[in-house]
């Protein structure tokens, strides 16, 4: 059973920062890529970024490029989403998801097999 647990969400003022974590049990992320998605009220879930567990440059959505950074800590089996210069339009529930077997990073939601429960991020103006 693959379980992903997101944490780190909260309320922050515009211009502030938050760091989200996506934790899993040992070896969950082996041979995988991990994606971050978000869903704002009344909107479809959208891609934020993704990273290969084995390394390499992450992929980012244009809307967050230059403000958000994805990283991983192999020893802690955790993937992070560092969010800086937050804007009210970043308000959403943020999800992490894992995709196995493919080395190509993708923004396609259906490519990811397992999902966390989400964590709420609210950015006030």
């Amino acid at each position: 059973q693959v379980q992903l647990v997101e944490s780190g969400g909260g309320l922050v003022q515009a211009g502030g920062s938050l760091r989200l974590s996506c934790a899993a049990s040992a070896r969950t992320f082996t041979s995988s890529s991990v994606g971050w998605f978000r869903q704002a009220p009344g909107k479809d879930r959208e891609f934020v970024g993704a990273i290969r567990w084995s390394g390499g440059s992450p992929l980012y959505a244009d809307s967050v490029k230059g403000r958000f950074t994805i990283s991983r800590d192999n020893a802690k089996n955790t993937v992070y989403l560092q969010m800086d210069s937050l804007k009210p339009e970043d308000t959403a529930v943020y999800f992490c998801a894992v995709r196995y077997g493919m080395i190509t990073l993708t923004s396609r939601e259906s490519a990811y097999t397992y999902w966390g429960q989400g964590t709420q991020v609210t950015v006030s103006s």
Side-chain angles (χ1 to χ4, degrees):
Q1 182 82 10
V2 174
Q3 287 189 319
L4 305 175
V5 180
E6 300 102 331
S7 61
L11 174 64
V12 64
Q13 289 188 329
S17 298
L18 281 175
R19 188 178 77 161
L20 306 184
S21 300
C22 175
S25 58
R27 297 183 296 279
T28 294
F29 292 138
T30 302
S31 301
S32 76
S33 57
V34 179
W36 284 97
F37 292 78
R38 66 186 182 184
Q39 187 167 22
K43 295 188 176 181
D44 293 334
R45 191 154 51 185
E46 67 172 358
F47 175 75
V48 173
I51 189 169
R52 293 179 196 84
W53 189 246
S54 60
S57 298
L59 174 69
Y60 296 102
D62 288 344
S63 59
V64 306
K65 201 173 294 183
R67 299 188 299 122
F68 290 11
T69 304
I70 299 175
S71 62
R72 74 206 192 285
D73 186 327
N74 296 53
K76 295 184 178 180
N77 299 301
T78 301
V79 174
Y80 301 101
L81 178 64
Q82 177 67 41
M83 306 185 294
D84 299 318
S85 302
L86 282 162
K87 305 175 182 180
E89 50 264 43
D90 294 317
T91 294
V93 177
Y94 283 72
F95 301 87
C96 64
V98 66
R99 177 188 186 218
Y100 289 108
M102 304 297 290
I103 61 173
T104 303
L105 295 177
T106 181
S107 61
R108 189 164 49 90
E109 183 178 338
S110 61
Y112 294 84
T113 306
Y114 298 99
W115 293 76
Q117 82 289 348
T119 185
Q120 176 70 48
V121 171
T122 303
V123 184
S124 63
S125 57

